Amino acid sequence: MSIVVKQLAYIHPNREYLFQDLDFSVAKGQKLSLIGPNGAGKSTLLQLIAGQMNLAGGEITTTAAPYYVPQHFGQYDDFTVAKALGIEAKLLALEAITNGDASAIHFSVLDDDWTIEEKARAVLETWHIGHLHLTQQMSTLSGGEKTKVFLAGIEIHQSEIVLLDEPSNHLDADGRLQLYEWIQSAKMTLLVVSHDRTLLNLLNLTYELNRNGMVIYGGNYDFYQEQKCEKVNALMAQAAHQQKDLRQAKQLAQEAAERKQKENARGQKKQAKKGMPRIMMGLMKNGAEQSSSKLQDVHAEKIKCIAGQLTEIRQQLSGQSILRMTFDPGNLHPGKVLVTAVQLNFKYQQTNLWKEALNFQIRSGERIALTGSNGTGKTTLLKIILGKIKPTEGQLSAAGFEHLYIDQEYEMLNNNLTVFEQTVEFNKQHLPEYRLKTLLHQFLFDAEMWNKKCGQLSGGEKMKLIFCSLMISNQAPDLIILDEPTNNLDIQSLEMMRDAIRDFTGTLIVITHDARFIDEIGVERLIKL
């Protein structure tokens, strides 16, 4: 086995257990996906396997030091590209030796890797980031470039075990295609956390992490979905059957209690007519009460057993069913011109962002995707459309319309408010408090999360809170703009959003590199930058 995890335990800083007695293993050369809802601990598990976090209990053994590609890069902003690649010490040792310093420590660090700089430059070129300097700060790189730096490190270190955390998140279409091809040809053990369903279908095993531990499915994501659907349907049928049994058990218990009560009353009347001594009548009454109590205990035990089974089934179903939400129909008539761009351009440092000026119209009811490689100005164009910045060339005219812009930083949420306070901000309908909390439960925010600050939420949790808040406000915008909406979402949240967007009748503009998502939400037109 490449990876063996035994009785793993991990405790959050707030002293809550994330894992307890988690067991699983990964065979050498297996390529598998690790999926599960936001908050299940997928990224934490990868970091524990990579040795970047401390266990609270149990053990993790690996046949080689894993190479880890992170999801978030902020902690690496002060690194150089060389340091992020894990070769900075070797490069400094090589430089010292080249400059005449023959200290033994430099030769030890270099470890006869005399071509390390050439290898690094070659592998950066392979990932189409050969323009980067090894001494360049990571903070100057785009998200896609940072991802490619860490992907390039795989070839440099040649590890037998590679851990990838959302590797396609920041990649453009070409970068994703290169990643898919690399995954298909890779020979090492791969453990991948991702919501990218195209990527997940390239992996021949699916491990699902949930509150009950790890469940293994012997196939790719499409196979997992089929099996999961069958499991959910079976659980729902079980729940319906147990609910019926519970009703019948309660009814039988009530009928039996009523019969026993009538029998006891008739017995007491007969005893009174026969002139039975009072002490004897008391003893017989106590006996009848004891008999009734035993009967009640029998029925109560049966009801408790059935109720317990029903609770267990409902717990298994919890979080399995896809959340459903819908938007009200838009107020604008189809075909109304909302935006007109004529010879549009924008300059950064005296250089036009787009080689050819943009000319286009956006009409009510259209579904449009802005596409292009990283750095081609997709987010800049959205800001121009929304009037947040002005074009430096050409003209843009916009009709009056209500819009909802969900950006990559989820700025429509106030990070200083709690989850519950945020829902109150959107409560234009003046719904009662219990209704707000019911909706929070439906979007998988339990009572323990209501007082959590929005700034402490994960990206996926923020997206779910946005959609929960939209349900509360019940105000459909004329235009919805989504900027990389699939990043950071677990698959359940992604499918919830996909279904809601697919049913939306207003105008939609989306930036995404996820070709499958574009197809699923019914995009009709592309604006290529």
Side-chain angles (χ1 to χ4, degrees), residues 223-346:
F223 175 83
Y224 158 81
Q225 272 197 316
E226 292 173 9
Q227 297 296 307
K228 193 74 169 177
C229 186
E230 290 179 10
K231 181 179 179 180
V232 169
N233 289 338
L235 286 171
M236 291 178 73
Q238 276 184 266
H241 181 70
Q242 292 296 102
Q243 185 72 51
K244 182 181 177 181
D245 285 351
L246 185 60
R247 284 197 303 268
Q248 290 177 344
K250 288 180 177 179
Q251 186 176 351
L252 288 172
Q254 184 176 353
E255 291 172 354
E258 290 173 353
R259 281 197 305 270
K260 192 64 180 175
Q261 190 176 17
K262 289 177 181 178
E263 288 174 6
N264 292 344
R266 284 196 297 269
Q268 289 174 10
K269 286 181 181 178
K270 287 179 181 179
Q271 293 159 10
K273 286 180 180 179
K274 290 179 181 179
M276 188 175 291
R278 183 171 297 177
I279 189 169
M280 193 64 184
M281 288 178 63
L283 288 171
M284 294 192 70
K285 180 181 179 183
N286 288 340
E289 288 175 350
Q290 289 175 5
S291 177
S292 297
S293 178
K294 287 180 181 178
L295 183 64
Q296 288 174 356
D297 288 345
V298 169
H299 283 287
E301 187 62 32
K302 184 176 181 181
I303 290 170
K304 182 180 178 181
C305 180
I306 296 172
Q309 291 171 349
L310 182 59
T311 299
E312 185 177 339
I313 293 168
R314 283 174 172 165
Q315 285 175 346
Q316 291 182 60
L317 274 168
S318 176
Q320 308 267 14
S321 302
I322 299 299
L323 299 169
R324 300 294 302 179
M325 64 169 291
T326 57
F327 290 104
D328 290 338
N331 297 319
L332 300 178
H333 64 79
K336 178 180 178 180
V337 177
L338 302 182
V339 176
T340 301
V342 179
Q343 294 295 303
L344 200 69
N345 220 318
F346 189 84

